Amino acid sequence: MGRSPCCEKAHTNKGAWTKEEDQRLINYIRVHGEGCWRSLPKAAGLLRCGKSCRLRWINYLRPDLKRGNFTEEEDEIIIKLHSLLGNKWSLIAGRLPGRTDNEIKNYWNTHIKRKLISRGIDPQTDRPLNGTTPAAAAVAMTTAASTNLDTSTTAKTITNICLDFRSSATPHPSSVSRLDNKTNFLNDHNIEFKLTTDVSCVEDTKCSSSGTTDENQAPQVQLQEEQTTPSVLNLELSIGLPKPKSSSSSRWSSTESKVSHGFWAVAVPPELPLPAAAAAVVPKPVCLCWQLGYKSGLLCKNCEMALQKSLSTKDRFQG
DNA sequence: AATCGGTCCAACCGCGACGGT
DNA sequence: AACCGTCGCGGTTGGACCGAT
């Protein structure tokens, strides 16, 4: 049986939006908020399909959108995140408040690709075009030494990636909520982040890594930023085998799936002192919004709970 | 002024993931 | 477990714009 169309195409407008349509959509969302895109067009009196409305709002009408050219800092963040995540535009957008995935994707294809080629970097692979590692490359890959922090049966490898987030501002809540939904790819590849604001990383050009190791199962890589920037965040990346999936679907097991869009990570808040952190290291499902260092109040429900748990653990160690 | 080619970006399309039943 | 509806993501496209000739 074929997939039913998302909307009745015969009675919907296509193409560029008119000012009146924009205004209708804005007015409706102002009153009713985002969501339920399927029924929105009818309720708002728009002859558009829900997908079209959603796209128009997210990419163009949202009030928190940043307009204008990308800054050099934004360029560098995009390049670095792309080298890490690939074409995960929504994930990258989640790190650039006010920018949309579509905008970043377009910008990548029209500007950054050329920029990278001029630097001698292959934009597809983010590796040097000539196959050697140039000093200009933003990301160098080296073997990582790891320590075993994982008590689960799934092999994980934690690596450090230092990214330059000098321009990082507090993300808008909408970015955070969107980010919460970006973890499928990371789940599938069992990739974990631990993002801290450890200033020592700024000074330490080596960004030492820690994490589990299983030489038989997981490749180990360390991505290391050239330490020429004044402020760098320490982003630990764990790469391992994909989480086991139920036999007939791509979903997680029942206990795992209790956490919607969950994100398995070593849940250690940045402020936890090292000994406590080491003791508290257990795999927990939390999402990227915490792992990316967002503050309480901007976290999703899952991360908020995880944060509270970890803080109580911290209290026990200090008390 | 007209034409052409390149660039940019808003919007569309198809697909996969998730949640509910 | 299977099915269905909805949502969100990434790739692609079409047309507007702009500079060169």
Side-chain angles (χ1 to χ4, degrees):
Chain A
M1 191 172 87
R3 173 180 291 265
S4 61
C6 74
C7 52
E8 184 52 62
K9 297 199 175 189
H11 300 105
T12 55
N13 292 339
K14 279 190 176 182
W17 281 64
T18 65
K19 283 187 178 178
E20 191 191 340
E21 285 177 314
D22 281 348
Q23 204 51 57
R24 277 179 186 269
L25 182 56
I26 291 169
N27 289 343
Y28 183 86
I29 292 179
R30 267 188 195 148
V31 174
H32 300 93
E34 289 183 46
C36 202
W37 297 107
R38 171 98 173 173
S39 59
L40 184 149
K42 196 174 179 183
L46 288 162
L47 292 175
R48 294 273 180 177
C49 81
K51 283 174 85 169
S52 183
C53 293
R54 179 185 154 269
L55 213 61
R56 183 65 178 171
W57 174 255
I58 287 175
N59 286 335
Y60 200 81
L61 299 176
R62 244 170 52 198
D64 58 318
L65 287 181
K66 193 192 284 184
R67 293 283 171 202
N69 296 335
F70 282 75
T71 65
E72 274 297 315
E73 286 177 350
E74 286 175 315
D75 278 14
E76 293 307 315
I77 290 173
I78 292 169
I79 290 168
K80 284 164 190 169
L81 285 175
H82 185 272
S83 73
L84 170 65
L85 301 167
N87 294 358
K88 299 293 163 189
W89 305 117
S90 55
L91 265 176
I92 296 171
R95 199 50 217 166
L96 289 167
R99 302 294 189 185
T100 70
D101 50 0
N102 203 39
E103 191 178 15
I104 293 170
K105 179 173 59 182
N106 284 333
Y107 186 66
W108 174 271
N109 287 324
T110 56
H111 290 87
I112 298 184
K113 264 187 179 177
R114 248 177 287 157
K115 189 173 181 175
L116 287 180
I117 289 170
S118 73
R119 286 183 186 180
I121 298 171
D122 183 350
Q124 291 304 314
T125 63
D126 299 293
R127 306 286 295 271
L129 282 167
N130 63 7
T132 62
T133 304
V139 175
M141 301 182 76
T142 58
T143 304
S146 304
T147 44
N148 195 343
L149 296 175
D150 188 8
T151 56
S152 75
T153 55
T154 307
K156 294 184 176 66
T157 304
I158 293 181
T159 59
N160 271 8
I161 299 162
C162 293
L163 297 178
D164 179 353
F165 285 129
R166 282 169 296 172
S167 68
S168 93
T170 303
H172 187 277
S174 66
S175 302
V176 174
S177 66
R178 295 187 70 204
L179 190 60
D180 195 20
N181 293 326
K182 307 293 188 287
T183 56
N184 298 332
F185 168 82
L186 299 163
N187 282 336
D188 288 347
H189 294 79
N190 204 18
I191 295 177
E192 300 174 350
F193 289 97
K194 187 171 76 180
L195 188 66
T196 74
T197 52
D198 182 2
V199 183
S200 66
C201 180
V202 177
E203 304 300 328
D204 176 9
T205 61
K206 286 176 183 166
C207 280
S208 62
S209 67
S210 62
T212 60
T213 180
D214 186 327
E215 294 159 3
N216 295 327
Q217 296 185 63
Q220 298 179 24
V221 295
Q222 180 178 13
L223 303 174
Q224 191 170 305
E225 158 75 23
E226 284 186 340
Q227 300 293 307
T228 57
T229 54
S231 170
V232 179
L233 291 179
N234 177 8
L235 175 62
E236 284 193 12
L237 170 67
S238 165
I239 300 175
L241 294 177
K243 295 293 297 182
K245 295 174 177 179
S246 60
S247 57
S248 63
S249 79
S250 61
R251 295 179 197 181
W252 294 36
S253 68
S254 58
T255 49
E256 289 163 344
S257 64
K258 281 176 184 171
V259 179
S260 174
H261 304 301
F263 193 73
W264 285 84
V266 179
V268 182
E271 64 273 22
L272 206 58
L274 264 178
V281 166
V282 288
K284 293 174 183 174
V286 295
C287 91
L288 268 180
C289 63
W290 176 21
Q291 296 304 313
L292 286 175
Y294 297 160
K295 292 184 170 61
S296 179
L298 291 175
L299 300 176
C300 71
K301 212 170 19 177
N302 297 327
C303 290
E304 192 71 54
M305 285 171 55
L307 176 61
Q308 295 309 321
K309 274 189 183 176
S310 291
L311 287 177
S312 64
T313 303
K314 179 185 172 185
D315 288 344
R316 283 204 305 276
F317 275 97
Q318 291 181 336

